Amino acid sequence: MPYRSPWMTEELEDLRGLAHDFLSKEGVPRMAKWATQQYVDREFWAQAGKLGLLSPTVPEEYGGIGGNILHQIVIVEEQSKLLDKGWGTMVHSGVVTDYIVKYGTEEQKQRWLPGMVAGTIVGAIAMTEPSAGSDLRSITCRARRDGDDYVINGTKTFITNATTAGLVIVAVKLEDNPDPRAVTLLVVEAGTPGFRHGKPLKKIGQHAADTAELFFDDVRVPAANRLGDEGAGFPALMARMPQERLIVGVVGVVQAQKAVDLTLEYTQQRTAFGKTLYQQQNTRFVLAECATLAKAGRIFLDHCIQEHVEHGLDNATAAMVKWWISELQCNVVDKCLQFFGGYGYMEEYPIARMYADARVQKIYGGANEIMKEIIARSLDATSHR
């Protein structure tokens, strides 16, 4: 009997079906085009918005369906099953939307959320810098208060949705605050003078993903665009990280299972030495191992999803999800690719694109080495109780 996640409901199944049908019809045929141009068409965002597939956690009074993270997870799962990694809705809907819902003023919510739900405004978040990745305390992007405005100077890099974003949440440090943890979040809207993006970055995978550098040259932002209080950005960022890392785990589990399914189908058809690859004992044993890993990852992930919905996932467990499942994903995809032989190295085969797309899962959302440090610190704290 097929495995069913314990948190799944009839309503969520209906949403899954809607997402599946839309992505199959409107997304899959466009993947090659998106990979070539290195971004997803704005038209596609708007189509998804009309169907309620963007920012599902937005309350109804701001145009959303008033769902929770489970609604977003279902959409992410279908995207991961059907599309190459590229459409930045996981950042738009799973990260940026929730910052505005959680920390935005009423005026900010009214101004931005309806457009994000409709897909007319694409959201991005800018934390990483050329010399500051997982260590947010090292960011050098600065802002100074000038009357009713902030003036931003600095550079951000590896930003998802960078060229198509209508708004970007930017993590900055204020010039008059020496505290390295005193990060402030400012929302910069497209078209603001001095704000520009670079050319799409050429990546080894996730070719359809809109990823670029952002530049801020005396960018003047109204104080009304600040999210939360001055200097309160660091705890806000840390509070939202568990959900971001949970979503990384969702992608990892779905991709691992997809790799097993693709490889099972291929090895049952491909012959060598007078029988199918699947009839070879090594093939069967390796796929048995991979299927076990994928299912173990699924069960652990589902436990963490339920924990997050009911109580909020703690940082250490979220770090476990992120590092272990991303490692599992890369391991399973690598083992499965081997059975495709030379074809596994050809981009037209999904397993090859999955292999290239998977590698960055161990980097973004906090490098896996940082995840292990977070876990180790939690163990140390427990041992001193």
Side-chain angles (χ1 to χ4, degrees), residues 137-165:
R137 291 172 295 186
S138 299
I139 64 173
T140 60
C141 190
R142 290 289 190 270
R144 60 179 173 84
R145 187 68 183 257
D146 184 19
D148 292 331
D149 298 331
Y150 292 95
V151 181
I152 307 174
N153 282 282
T155 302
K156 300 289 184 177
T157 194
F158 308 139
I159 307 305
T160 299
N161 297 336
T163 67
T164 52

PDB file of all heavy atoms in Angstrom, residues 137-165:
ATOM      1  N   ARG A 137      26.323  37.645  10.806  1.00  0.00           N
ATOM      2  CA  ARG A 137      26.919  38.729  11.578  1.00  0.00           C
ATOM      3  C   ARG A 137      28.036  39.426  10.810  1.00  0.00           C
ATOM      4  O   ARG A 137      28.459  40.516  11.177  1.00  0.00           O
ATOM      5  CB  ARG A 137      27.455  38.188  12.907  1.00  0.00           C
ATOM      6  CG  ARG A 137      26.357  37.750  13.867  1.00  0.00           C
ATOM      7  CD  ARG A 137      26.903  37.043  15.086  1.00  0.00           C
ATOM      8  NE  ARG A 137      27.542  35.775  14.728  1.00  0.00           N
ATOM      9  CZ  ARG A 137      27.998  34.907  15.614  1.00  0.00           C
ATOM     10  NH1 ARG A 137      27.899  35.166  16.909  1.00  0.00           N
ATOM     11  NH2 ARG A 137      28.544  33.768  15.226  1.00  0.00           N
ATOM     12  N   SER A 138      28.498  38.810   9.725  1.00  0.00           N
ATOM     13  CA  SER A 138      29.605  39.375   8.954  1.00  0.00           C
ATOM     14  C   SER A 138      29.148  40.240   7.786  1.00  0.00           C
ATOM     15  O   SER A 138      29.990  40.719   7.017  1.00  0.00           O
ATOM     16  CB  SER A 138      30.494  38.242   8.422  1.00  0.00           C
ATOM     17  OG  SER A 138      31.059  37.490   9.471  1.00  0.00           O
ATOM     18  N   ILE A 139      27.848  40.459   7.631  1.00  0.00           N
ATOM     19  CA  ILE A 139      27.395  41.242   6.486  1.00  0.00           C
ATOM     20  C   ILE A 139      27.916  42.675   6.580  1.00  0.00           C
ATOM     21  O   ILE A 139      28.060  43.242   7.662  1.00  0.00           O
ATOM     22  CB  ILE A 139      25.857  41.241   6.344  1.00  0.00           C
ATOM     23  CG1 ILE A 139      25.179  41.908   7.532  1.00  0.00           C
ATOM     24  CG2 ILE A 139      25.343  39.829   6.134  1.00  0.00           C
ATOM     25  CD1 ILE A 139      23.676  42.064   7.351  1.00  0.00           C
ATOM     26  N   THR A 140      28.199  43.243   5.416  1.00  0.00           N
ATOM     27  CA  THR A 140      28.752  44.598   5.362  1.00  0.00           C
ATOM     28  C   THR A 140      27.830  45.585   4.666  1.00  0.00           C
ATOM     29  O   THR A 140      28.154  46.772   4.586  1.00  0.00           O
ATOM     30  CB  THR A 140      30.100  44.594   4.625  1.00  0.00           C
ATOM     31  OG1 THR A 140      29.920  44.107   3.292  1.00  0.00           O
ATOM     32  CG2 THR A 140      31.117  43.723   5.354  1.00  0.00           C
ATOM     33  N   CYS A 141      26.705  45.140   4.138  1.00  0.00           N
ATOM     34  CA  CYS A 141      25.736  46.047   3.525  1.00  0.00           C
ATOM     35  C   CYS A 141      25.233  47.005   4.600  1.00  0.00           C
ATOM     36  O   CYS A 141      24.744  46.569   5.652  1.00  0.00           O
ATOM     37  CB  CYS A 141      24.577  45.254   2.929  1.00  0.00           C
ATOM     38  SG  CYS A 141      23.453  46.225   1.907  1.00  0.00           S
ATOM     39  N   ARG A 142      25.359  48.298   4.362  1.00  0.00           N
ATOM     40  CA  ARG A 142      25.086  49.305   5.390  1.00  0.00           C
ATOM     41  C   ARG A 142      23.919  50.201   4.990  1.00  0.00           C
ATOM     42  O   ARG A 142      23.631  50.416   3.813  1.00  0.00           O
ATOM     43  CB  ARG A 142      26.317  50.190   5.611  1.00  0.00           C
ATOM     44  CG  ARG A 142      27.487  49.484   6.280  1.00  0.00           C
ATOM     45  CD  ARG A 142      27.166  49.202   7.754  1.00  0.00           C
ATOM     46  NE  ARG A 142      28.331  48.732   8.492  1.00  0.00           N
ATOM     47  CZ  ARG A 142      28.691  47.475   8.640  1.00  0.00           C
ATOM     48  NH1 ARG A 142      27.986  46.530   8.044  1.00  0.00           N
ATOM     49  NH2 ARG A 142      29.741  47.147   9.358  1.00  0.00           N
ATOM     50  N   ALA A 143      23.273  50.750   6.007  1.00  0.00           N
ATOM     51  CA  ALA A 143      22.228  51.754   5.812  1.00  0.00           C
ATOM     52  C   ALA A 143      22.392  52.824   6.880  1.00  0.00           C
ATOM     53  O   ALA A 143      22.809  52.548   8.003  1.00  0.00           O
ATOM     54  CB  ALA A 143      20.843  51.122   5.902  1.00  0.00           C
ATOM     55  N   ARG A 144      22.099  54.043   6.514  1.00  0.00           N
ATOM     56  CA  ARG A 144      22.109  55.145   7.488  1.00  0.00           C
ATOM     57  C   ARG A 144      20.764  55.842   7.466  1.00  0.00           C
ATOM     58  O   ARG A 144      20.114  55.935   6.423  1.00  0.00           O
ATOM     59  CB  ARG A 144      23.227  56.139   7.179  1.00  0.00           C
ATOM     60  CG  ARG A 144      23.147  56.786   5.810  1.00  0.00           C
ATOM     61  CD  ARG A 144      24.276  57.771   5.588  1.00  0.00           C
ATOM     62  NE  ARG A 144      24.283  58.274   4.222  1.00  0.00           N
ATOM     63  CZ  ARG A 144      23.531  59.292   3.790  1.00  0.00           C
ATOM     64  NH1 ARG A 144      22.706  59.910   4.642  1.00  0.00           N
ATOM     65  NH2 ARG A 144      23.590  59.676   2.526  1.00  0.00           N
ATOM     66  N   ARG A 145      20.354  56.301   8.616  1.00  0.00           N
ATOM     67  CA  ARG A 145      19.076  57.009   8.709  1.00  0.00           C
ATOM     68  C   ARG A 145      19.276  58.447   8.244  1.00  0.00           C
ATOM     69  O   ARG A 145      20.223  59.117   8.638  1.00  0.00           O
ATOM     70  CB  ARG A 145      18.553  56.965  10.140  1.00  0.00           C
ATOM     71  CG  ARG A 145      17.153  57.518  10.334  1.00  0.00           C
ATOM     72  CD  ARG A 145      16.097  56.638   9.675  1.00  0.00           C
ATOM     73  NE  ARG A 145      14.768  57.192   9.796  1.00  0.00           N
ATOM     74  CZ  ARG A 145      13.844  56.766  10.666  1.00  0.00           C
ATOM     75  NH1 ARG A 145      14.135  55.755  11.485  1.00  0.00           N
ATOM     76  NH2 ARG A 145      12.650  57.315  10.718  1.00  0.00           N
ATOM     77  N   ASP A 146      18.387  58.901   7.379  1.00  0.00           N
ATOM     78  CA  ASP A 146      18.425  60.269   6.891  1.00  0.00           C
ATOM     79  C   ASP A 146      17.002  60.802   6.882  1.00  0.00           C
ATOM     80  O   ASP A 146      16.259  60.608   5.918  1.00  0.00           O
ATOM     81  CB  ASP A 146      19.039  60.305   5.487  1.00  0.00           C
ATOM     82  CG  ASP A 146      19.185  61.729   4.962  1.00  0.00           C
ATOM     83  OD1 ASP A 146      19.166  62.674   5.778  1.00  0.00           O
ATOM     84  OD2 ASP A 146      19.315  61.897   3.728  1.00  0.00           O
ATOM     85  N   GLY A 147      16.611  61.432   7.968  1.00  0.00           N
ATOM     86  CA  GLY A 147      15.238  61.917   8.096  1.00  0.00           C
ATOM     87  C   GLY A 147      14.249  60.778   8.141  1.00  0.00           C
ATOM     88  O   GLY A 147      14.348  59.881   8.987  1.00  0.00           O
ATOM     89  N   ASP A 148      13.315  60.781   7.207  1.00  0.00           N
ATOM     90  CA  ASP A 148      12.291  59.732   7.153  1.00  0.00           C
ATOM     91  C   ASP A 148      12.692  58.572   6.244  1.00  0.00           C
ATOM     92  O   ASP A 148      11.863  57.717   5.921  1.00  0.00           O
ATOM     93  CB  ASP A 148      10.969  60.320   6.644  1.00  0.00           C
ATOM     94  CG  ASP A 148      10.348  61.302   7.633  1.00  0.00           C
ATOM     95  OD1 ASP A 148      10.578  61.126   8.844  1.00  0.00           O
ATOM     96  OD2 ASP A 148       9.644  62.232   7.184  1.00  0.00           O
ATOM     97  N   ASP A 149      13.965  58.553   5.833  1.00  0.00           N
ATOM     98  CA  ASP A 149      14.444  57.506   4.932  1.00  0.00           C
ATOM     99  C   ASP A 149      15.643  56.774   5.513  1.00  0.00           C
ATOM    100  O   ASP A 149      16.282  57.233   6.463  1.00  0.00           O
ATOM    101  CB  ASP A 149      14.860  58.107   3.574  1.00  0.00           C
ATOM    102  CG  ASP A 149      13.723  58.775   2.835  1.00  0.00           C
ATOM    103  OD1 ASP A 149      12.567  58.353   3.015  1.00  0.00           O
ATOM    104  OD2 ASP A 149      13.996  59.728   2.086  1.00  0.00           O
ATOM    105  N   TYR A 150      15.945  55.626   4.883  1.00  0.00           N
ATOM    106  CA  TYR A 150      17.226  54.938   5.065  1.00  0.00           C
ATOM    107  C   TYR A 150      17.952  54.987   3.727  1.00  0.00           C
ATOM    108  O   TYR A 150      17.318  54.870   2.663  1.00  0.00           O
ATOM    109  CB  TYR A 150      17.032  53.483   5.481  1.00  0.00           C
ATOM    110  CG  TYR A 150      16.455  53.292   6.860  1.00  0.00           C
ATOM    111  CD1 TYR A 150      15.080  53.110   7.037  1.00  0.00           C
ATOM    112  CD2 TYR A 150      17.274  53.286   7.987  1.00  0.00           C
ATOM    113  CE1 TYR A 150      14.547  52.929   8.303  1.00  0.00           C
ATOM    114  CE2 TYR A 150      16.741  53.101   9.260  1.00  0.00           C
ATOM    115  CZ  TYR A 150      15.383  52.931   9.411  1.00  0.00           C
ATOM    116  OH  TYR A 150      14.859  52.759  10.667  1.00  0.00           O
ATOM    117  N   VAL A 151      19.265  55.128   3.772  1.00  0.00           N
ATOM    118  CA  VAL A 151      20.067  55.129   2.562  1.00  0.00           C
ATOM    119  C   VAL A 151      20.987  53.910   2.608  1.00  0.00           C
ATOM    120  O   VAL A 151      21.799  53.764   3.525  1.00  0.00           O
ATOM    121  CB  VAL A 151      20.898  56.417   2.421  1.00  0.00           C
ATOM    122  CG1 VAL A 151      21.710  56.381   1.127  1.00  0.00           C
ATOM    123  CG2 VAL A 151      19.983  57.644   2.434  1.00  0.00           C
ATOM    124  N   ILE A 152      20.832  53.012   1.622  1.00  0.00           N
ATOM    125  CA  ILE A 152      21.522  51.713   1.623  1.00  0.00           C
ATOM    126  C   ILE A 152      22.676  51.722   0.634  1.00  0.00           C
ATOM    127  O   ILE A 152      22.554  52.209  -0.494  1.00  0.00           O
ATOM    128  CB  ILE A 152      20.550  50.575   1.237  1.00  0.00           C
ATOM    129  CG1 ILE A 152      19.297  50.602   2.121  1.00  0.00           C
ATOM    130  CG2 ILE A 152      21.236  49.216   1.340  1.00  0.00           C
ATOM    131  CD1 ILE A 152      18.234  49.607   1.690  1.00  0.00           C
ATOM    132  N   ASN A 153      23.797  51.134   1.060  1.00  0.00           N
ATOM    133  CA  ASN A 153      24.934  50.906   0.175  1.00  0.00           C
ATOM    134  C   ASN A 153      25.485  49.506   0.424  1.00  0.00           C
ATOM    135  O   ASN A 153      25.653  49.100   1.583  1.00  0.00           O
ATOM    136  CB  ASN A 153      26.033  51.937   0.415  1.00  0.00           C
ATOM    137  CG  ASN A 153      25.729  53.269  -0.232  1.00  0.00           C
ATOM    138  OD1 ASN A 153      25.893  53.446  -1.432  1.00  0.00           O
ATOM    139  ND2 ASN A 153      25.256  54.222   0.575  1.00  0.00           N
ATOM    140  N   GLY A 154      25.754  48.767  -0.643  1.00  0.00           N
ATOM    141  CA  GLY A 154      26.317  47.432  -0.489  1.00  0.00           C
ATOM    142  C   GLY A 154      25.957  46.526  -1.647  1.00  0.00           C
ATOM    143  O   GLY A 154      25.331  46.944  -2.626  1.00  0.00           O
ATOM    144  N   THR A 155      26.354  45.269  -1.511  1.00  0.00           N
ATOM    145  CA  THR A 155      26.132  44.268  -2.555  1.00  0.00           C
ATOM    146  C   THR A 155      25.638  42.973  -1.920  1.00  0.00           C
ATOM    147  O   THR A 155      26.105  42.573  -0.854  1.00  0.00           O
ATOM    148  CB  THR A 155      27.440  43.976  -3.325  1.00  0.00           C
ATOM    149  OG1 THR A 155      27.927  45.193  -3.892  1.00  0.00           O
ATOM    150  CG2 THR A 155      27.203  42.961  -4.430  1.00  0.00           C
ATOM    151  N   LYS A 156      24.701  42.321  -2.573  1.00  0.00           N
ATOM    152  CA  LYS A 156      24.225  41.000  -2.181  1.00  0.00           C
ATOM    153  C   LYS A 156      24.431  40.044  -3.357  1.00  0.00           C
ATOM    154  O   LYS A 156      24.434  40.476  -4.522  1.00  0.00           O
ATOM    155  CB  LYS A 156      22.740  41.038  -1.794  1.00  0.00           C
ATOM    156  CG  LYS A 156      22.407  41.954  -0.626  1.00  0.00           C
ATOM    157  CD  LYS A 156      22.925  41.413   0.700  1.00  0.00           C
ATOM    158  CE  LYS A 156      22.490  42.307   1.867  1.00  0.00           C
ATOM    159  NZ  LYS A 156      22.934  41.761   3.169  1.00  0.00           N
ATOM    160  N   THR A 157      24.592  38.772  -3.067  1.00  0.00           N
ATOM    161  CA  THR A 157      24.830  37.815  -4.153  1.00  0.00           C
ATOM    162  C   THR A 157      24.083  36.507  -3.926  1.00  0.00           C
ATOM    163  O   THR A 157      23.621  36.236  -2.812  1.00  0.00           O
ATOM    164  CB  THR A 157      26.349  37.540  -4.306  1.00  0.00           C
ATOM    165  OG1 THR A 157      26.576  36.873  -5.553  1.00  0.00           O
ATOM    166  CG2 THR A 157      26.894  36.691  -3.158  1.00  0.00           C
ATOM    167  N   PHE A 158      23.982  35.719  -4.999  1.00  0.00           N
ATOM    168  CA  PHE A 158      23.262  34.441  -5.004  1.00  0.00           C
ATOM    169  C   PHE A 158      21.796  34.619  -4.597  1.00  0.00           C
ATOM    170  O   PHE A 158      21.238  33.788  -3.874  1.00  0.00           O
ATOM    171  CB  PHE A 158      23.925  33.418  -4.068  1.00  0.00           C
ATOM    172  CG  PHE A 158      25.403  33.227  -4.302  1.00  0.00           C
ATOM    173  CD1 PHE A 158      26.275  33.103  -3.228  1.00  0.00           C
ATOM    174  CD2 PHE A 158      25.929  33.179  -5.578  1.00  0.00           C
ATOM    175  CE1 PHE A 158      27.638  32.916  -3.425  1.00  0.00           C
ATOM    176  CE2 PHE A 158      27.290  33.010  -5.797  1.00  0.00           C
ATOM    177  CZ  PHE A 158      28.148  32.877  -4.714  1.00  0.00           C
ATOM    178  N   ILE A 159      21.166  35.686  -5.059  1.00  0.00           N
ATOM    179  CA  ILE A 159      19.806  36.004  -4.633  1.00  0.00           C
ATOM    180  C   ILE A 159      18.783  35.385  -5.583  1.00  0.00           C
ATOM    181  O   ILE A 159      18.772  35.674  -6.788  1.00  0.00           O
ATOM    182  CB  ILE A 159      19.596  37.533  -4.551  1.00  0.00           C
ATOM    183  CG1 ILE A 159      20.688  38.167  -3.677  1.00  0.00           C
ATOM    184  CG2 ILE A 159      18.209  37.842  -4.016  1.00  0.00           C
ATOM    185  CD1 ILE A 159      20.810  37.573  -2.287  1.00  0.00           C
ATOM    186  N   THR A 160      17.920  34.535  -5.057  1.00  0.00           N
ATOM    187  CA  THR A 160      16.849  33.912  -5.827  1.00  0.00           C
ATOM    188  C   THR A 160      15.767  34.936  -6.157  1.00  0.00           C
ATOM    189  O   THR A 160      15.401  35.741  -5.305  1.00  0.00           O
ATOM    190  CB  THR A 160      16.243  32.746  -5.037  1.00  0.00           C
ATOM    191  OG1 THR A 160      17.255  31.768  -4.794  1.00  0.00           O
ATOM    192  CG2 THR A 160      15.100  32.096  -5.805  1.00  0.00           C
ATOM    193  N   ASN A 161      15.266  34.910  -7.383  1.00  0.00           N
ATOM    194  CA  ASN A 161      14.260  35.838  -7.897  1.00  0.00           C
ATOM    195  C   ASN A 161      14.812  37.252  -8.072  1.00  0.00           C
ATOM    196  O   ASN A 161      14.042  38.222  -8.153  1.00  0.00           O
ATOM    197  CB  ASN A 161      13.011  35.885  -6.997  1.00  0.00           C
ATOM    198  CG  ASN A 161      12.288  34.566  -6.915  1.00  0.00           C
ATOM    199  OD1 ASN A 161      12.395  33.736  -7.812  1.00  0.00           O
ATOM    200  ND2 ASN A 161      11.566  34.338  -5.828  1.00  0.00           N
ATOM    201  N   ALA A 162      16.117  37.375  -8.179  1.00  0.00           N
ATOM    202  CA  ALA A 162      16.753  38.692  -8.171  1.00  0.00           C
ATOM    203  C   ALA A 162      16.285  39.603  -9.302  1.00  0.00           C
ATOM    204  O   ALA A 162      16.047  40.795  -9.086  1.00  0.00           O
ATOM    205  CB  ALA A 162      18.268  38.535  -8.228  1.00  0.00           C
ATOM    206  N   THR A 163      16.171  39.085 -10.517  1.00  0.00           N
ATOM    207  CA  THR A 163      15.875  39.961 -11.651  1.00  0.00           C
ATOM    208  C   THR A 163      14.385  40.190 -11.868  1.00  0.00           C
ATOM    209  O   THR A 163      13.996  41.177 -12.491  1.00  0.00           O
ATOM    210  CB  THR A 163      16.491  39.407 -12.954  1.00  0.00           C
ATOM    211  OG1 THR A 163      15.847  38.185 -13.312  1.00  0.00           O
ATOM    212  CG2 THR A 163      17.978  39.165 -12.787  1.00  0.00           C
ATOM    213  N   THR A 164      13.548  39.289 -11.363  1.00  0.00           N
ATOM    214  CA  THR A 164      12.101  39.432 -11.554  1.00  0.00           C
ATOM    215  C   THR A 164      11.389  39.967 -10.323  1.00  0.00           C
ATOM    216  O   THR A 164      10.191  40.250 -10.379  1.00  0.00           O
ATOM    217  CB  THR A 164      11.465  38.083 -11.945  1.00  0.00           C
ATOM    218  OG1 THR A 164      11.866  37.081 -11.005  1.00  0.00           O
ATOM    219  CG2 THR A 164      11.901  37.654 -13.331  1.00  0.00           C
ATOM    220  N   ALA A 165      12.096  40.128  -9.223  1.00  0.00           N
ATOM    221  CA  ALA A 165      11.462  40.531  -7.963  1.00  0.00           C
ATOM    222  C   ALA A 165      10.883  41.940  -8.037  1.00  0.00           C
ATOM    223  O   ALA A 165      11.505  42.866  -8.563  1.00  0.00           O
ATOM    224  CB  ALA A 165      12.466  40.452  -6.817  1.00  0.00           C
TER     225      ALA A 165
END
